[in-house]
Amino acid sequence: MRKTLAYCSLLVLCALGLLYLGQSGATAQNSSATPTQTPAPPKKETVAPAKTAKQQKKDEEKLKKELETPYKKWLEEDVRWIISDEEVRAFKHLNTDEERESFIEQFWLRRNPDPNSEENEAREEHYRRLAYANETFASGIPGWKTDRGMIYIKFGPPDEREEHASGGFYERPIEEGGGETSTYPFEKWRYRYLEGLGNDVNIEFVDTTMTGEFHMTQDPSEKDALLYVPNAGLTMYEQMGLACKTCRFTRTDGTHLGTGSMPLPASMDQFTRLEQFANLQKPPETKFKDLQADITSSVKYNLLPMLVRADYIPLTENTVMTNVTVQFDRKDFQYKEKEGLQRATVEVTGSITTIARKFVTSFDELVQTDPVPAEYLETAAKGPDIFQKNLQLKPGLYRLNVVAKDMNSGNTHRFELAMNVPRLDEDHLSASSLILADDMRPVDKHSIGLKEAFVINNNKVRPRMDGDDGRPDFKRDMTMGIYLQLYNFAPDMITTPEGLQKLSEKKADGVVTLELLRNGPNGGTEVVGRSDDEISEVIKQNRGGAAEVVFQKKLPLAGFEPGQYTIKVTATDRKRNQTVTQSAPFTVLN
């Protein structure tokens, strides 16, 4: 019976298999007889669709960022520790790669000890230091970013380097309290002399995290690993009972040294350490300044001498009225006769550019003397010929080039001047240039539009130009005008008739102190005069407001002894606890 069932099952399976094969064959035959056609894929476009204006602008901005990348790296990495704030601001105002390349070329040229050589030793040494810092001081961040890298890049290798790479046992010097302790890894660098910092400069770096990243410290006790462990790592004074360890944390000089009542040496004085710490983080001074800070002049022909100065009167946060004053001595002019009269003509051209030589603005002036008969020429040729140009500039560092040409003789003179146009900070007390004037008086409002020269607001202020000693000189029979604008005094509170409190732009709480200093023969100064003016009274006299205060005084010089003096004006805002000081030298002649 079982065998019969097995044979039946086998026959059923075979029948099912034959049936499946027959259906598959029929399907195959039908497929070959009537093939189906699949649709072809859509043809792809070979021309890109036009971009919208928004997409084009986005692509342009992306491309601009890509192109700016090398210059951004140069600014933020290559020269980060040696570039001045003024140079950074100037570089950020540049718009084209050509301007940036020119700036970089000038940047290294100003630092080249030998501008005539083909190789720039300063640039080569800088990049050598940069490579060494990255190779030696890296610790999770690039070596140039570390404090040791910063100091090495700025000042080069130290004259002496004391390394404690693993910390451990340390015997303190007596000026740190003496005694023995255990320390974190630390290093001491010593420079015999650094420009702007002086002799015997000692710098300490500590790795308190034990990660290899040493940071610069002001506190010599920061390396003490047992500082916070009671009765451990005691100093010699603490062991002798002359000091207690807990007293370290009540010191007010910024350290935790256990020196008891022993005075620190002068090099470890709190203010000396603070000053050194701040100066170490400034960019090194440029020895070959070009036009960076001080006034420099370039004279091609010394046949037409002239004096040039610039004064700055801020108008807004981004606009500064820059008054360029040029003065000649009429005796240096060449006079020419025409129709029986003698006359001199000088053409003056001024050009203002950025530090990278990008043109900003220019001015032209034709200086002509009044025609005089030949017999009066000797008298007419005495005295100065002076004029002023008023230019509106944005804050920043500029170059002013003034070229004068005597049209009768062909004599020329070129004068180049650095212009550091200040920024008006609306949150801080600020001041304009301090001007010492030989002519200062109110101007009639109706005559201001009649080309009145040397006008600031409603006042005529003609600056006295430098004399032979580089200072404005005044004779004893003259009256010297002192002019200064002060900005952003905090308004004072007033009570309205209704009893309400509100700010008043007409009142402020402050004082303006004027000091007259006489220069001594040994370089010292002596205060020979002083006055204090409440700022509310100054505002009242000039009918101004706290946002812009005009401070002006007239100083008769009849009682002054001949010599060199300095005017110093200090404004103090009591509400904000801020001060600003401007000073100007002058000479009194007989």
Side-chain angles (χ1 to χ4, degrees):
M1 185 66 179
R2 290 180 180 175
K3 289 182 178 181
T4 303
L5 290 173
Y7 288 135
C8 290
S9 299
L10 182 60
L11 290 171
V12 170
L13 291 171
C14 290
L16 290 173
L18 292 171
L19 179 62
Y20 174 77
L21 290 173
Q23 289 177 348
S24 299
T27 304
Q29 289 175 1
N30 292 337
S31 298
S32 59
T34 57
T36 57
Q37 295 183 352
T38 56
K43 189 177 181 180
K44 294 183 179 180
E45 294 287 343
T46 57
V47 180
K51 293 183 179 181
T52 64
K54 186 176 181 180
Q55 289 175 327
Q56 290 179 350
K57 185 176 180 181
K58 187 176 181 180
D59 290 345
E60 290 174 359
E61 291 176 351
K62 182 180 179 181
L63 178 61
K64 184 178 179 181
K65 287 182 180 179
E66 291 176 354
L67 293 175
E68 288 178 349
T69 300
Y71 301 105
K72 185 177 181 181
K73 178 182 179 295
W74 180 84
L75 181 66
E76 298 181 358
E77 180 177 337
D78 289 11
V79 297
R80 177 175 178 177
W81 302 126
I82 64 170
I83 190 169
S84 67
D85 293 340
E86 293 82 2
E87 289 173 318
V88 170
R89 286 194 292 268
F91 187 83
K92 288 183 176 180
H93 280 88
L94 303 179
N95 297 318
T96 66
D97 288 350
E98 289 77 9
E99 292 174 359
R100 296 184 185 99
E101 289 293 343
S102 176
F103 180 97
I104 293 172
E105 182 182 352
Q106 292 293 325
F107 176 88
W108 290 118
L109 185 61
R110 286 192 295 274
R111 289 158 174 79
N112 189 5
D114 185 6
N116 296 321
S117 67
E118 295 183 2
E119 297 180 355
N120 192 315
E121 294 180 9
R123 180 174 55 200
E124 292 179 359
E125 172 63 13
H126 172 77
Y127 280 102
R128 185 201 65 77
R129 294 179 185 179
L130 190 64
Y132 181 87
N134 285 330
E135 181 181 350
T136 309
F137 304 128
S139 57
I141 59 174
W144 68 266
K145 277 190 174 183
T146 65
D147 285 356
R148 288 184 299 172
M150 173 187 68
I151 296 299
Y152 189 91
I153 290 169
K154 287 182 180 179
F155 306 111
D159 298 306
E160 298 176 15
R161 181 177 176 182
E162 180 184 334
E163 297 183 68
H164 299 263
S166 302
F169 175 80
Y170 178 67
E171 187 172 347
R172 300 185 191 91
I174 191 63
E175 61 267 19
E176 294 182 14
E180 299 172 354
T181 188
S182 182
T183 68
Y184 297 110
F186 73 97
E187 292 188 11
K188 286 185 177 181
W189 291 13
R190 176 177 176 268
Y191 292 89
R192 295 188 183 91
Y193 175 78
L194 288 179
E195 187 76 28
L197 288 154
N199 298 313
D200 195 25
V201 179
N202 292 275
I203 310 169
E204 198 163 292
F205 305 93
V206 184
D207 177 16
T208 55
T209 60
M210 306 289 286
T211 60
E213 183 175 346
F214 291 74
H215 66 269
M216 187 166 57
T217 180
Q218 301 178 66
D219 182 4
S221 65
E222 189 174 355
K223 61 179 174 290
D224 190 346
L226 303 178
L227 179 63
Y228 296 99
V229 180
N231 298 319
L234 299 179
T235 66
M236 182 181 67
Y237 289 89
E238 291 165 351
Q239 295 174 24
M240 297 171 61
L242 300 176
C244 62
K245 188 167 185 178
T246 56
C247 296
R248 299 193 201 179
F249 304 97
T250 61
R251 297 179 69 109
T252 59
D253 61 355
T255 73
H256 294 108
L257 295 173
T259 56
S261 59
M262 182 189 75
L264 295 177
S267 61
M268 293 179 65
D269 175 74
Q270 176 184 5
F271 299 103
T272 302
R273 287 185 289 106
L274 285 171
E275 183 180 11
Q276 174 179 298
F277 192 79
N279 290 336
L280 283 171
Q281 298 179 75
K282 293 179 181 178
E285 293 185 6
T286 306
K287 296 181 180 179
F288 313 98
K289 293 188 177 181
D290 186 29
L291 294 175
Q292 267 201 309
D294 298 330
I295 294 175
T296 60
S297 61
S298 174
V299 182
K300 288 186 176 179
Y301 303 98
N302 195 21
L303 300 176
L304 188 59
M306 62 179 168
L307 299 172
V308 182
R309 65 172 286 157
D311 297 296
Y312 310 105
I313 312 294
L315 301 178
T316 67
E317 188 176 0
N318 295 313
T319 306
V320 178
M321 180 62 72
T322 303
N323 296 337
V324 178
T325 308
V326 182
Q327 178 176 296
F328 299 94
D329 196 326
R330 285 197 290 265
K331 67 179 177 59
D332 297 316
F333 292 164
Q334 181 72 43
Y335 292 81
K336 186 176 181 180
E337 182 180 355
K338 184 178 180 180
E339 298 178 355
L341 299 176
Q342 301 282 340
R343 190 173 198 174
T345 303
V346 176
E347 187 180 64
V348 182
T349 301
S351 175
I352 295 177
T353 62
T354 65
I355 195 69
R357 302 290 185 183
K358 179 184 176 182
F359 175 80
V360 176
T361 188
S362 63
F363 62 86
D364 295 291
E365 183 77 12
L366 193 64
V367 179
Q368 289 185 309
T369 61
D370 294 330
V372 295
E375 58 268 24
Y376 299 113
L377 180 59
E378 184 177 353
T379 302
K382 293 180 180 178
D385 210 313
I386 184 171
F387 72 90
Q388 187 178 86
K389 285 294 182 180
N390 309 120
L391 309 168
Q392 292 189 18
L393 298 175
K394 293 181 179 180
L397 189 64
Y398 299 89
R399 303 170 186 261
L400 168 65
N401 280 279
V402 181
V403 179
K405 181 178 181 180
D406 191 318
M407 303 304 291
N408 295 330
S409 65
N411 294 336
T412 61
H413 186 111
R414 178 178 176 269
F415 195 99
E416 192 170 56
L417 175 71
M419 298 174 62
N420 190 2
V421 181
R423 180 178 297 277
L424 177 62
D425 189 343
E426 295 184 352
D427 296 326
H428 292 83
L429 190 63
S430 305
S432 70
S433 298
L434 177 59
I435 303 175
L436 304 184
D438 55 16
D439 185 5
M440 187 178 74
R441 50 190 166 83
V443 176
D444 184 0
K445 293 182 180 180
H446 300 290
S447 65
I448 291 178
L450 301 178
K451 205 178 180 180
E452 181 77 26
F454 310 104
V455 173
I456 305 175
N457 294 339
N458 297 328
N459 300 278
K460 180 174 183 178
V461 184
R462 186 176 67 189
R464 185 73 172 178
M465 303 297 281
D466 293 345
D468 294 336
D469 61 354
R471 297 163 168 256
D473 52 33
F474 295 83
K475 295 183 178 180
R476 298 175 68 187
D477 60 353
M478 298 175 64
T479 296
M480 181 174 68
I482 304 168
Y483 186 91
L484 180 70
Q485 287 192 12
L486 301 165
Y487 310 94
N488 304 325
F489 275 94
D492 205 357
M493 299 295 293
I494 62 170
T495 304
T496 65
E498 295 80 14
L500 300 176
Q501 293 286 316
K502 70 173 187 177
L503 293 173
S504 172
E505 287 292 335
K506 299 296 182 182
K507 295 187 67 178
D509 186 9
V511 64
V512 182
T513 300
L514 186 150
E515 290 181 301
L516 180 63
L517 310 174
R518 183 171 183 181
N519 299 354
N522 298 324
T525 58
E526 175 190 3
V527 179
V528 295
R530 176 188 171 113
S531 67
D532 295 293
D533 293 272
E534 288 295 322
I535 199 65
S536 56
E537 289 299 316
V538 177
I539 294 174
K540 183 178 179 181
Q541 293 171 7
N542 292 280
R543 300 177 182 179
E548 181 180 314
V549 179
V550 177
F551 177 78
Q552 51 187 347
K553 279 184 176 292
K554 290 187 176 181
L555 184 64
L557 302 175
F560 280 64
E561 292 294 326
Q564 294 183 342
Y565 296 81
T566 299
I567 287 285
K568 181 180 177 182
V569 181
T570 302
T572 303
D573 187 340
R574 298 191 184 103
K575 292 182 73 66
R576 289 180 173 172
N577 194 27
Q578 295 178 358
T579 62
V580 63
T581 300
Q582 292 283 56
S583 59
F586 68 98
T587 301
V588 176
L589 305 176
N590 279 321

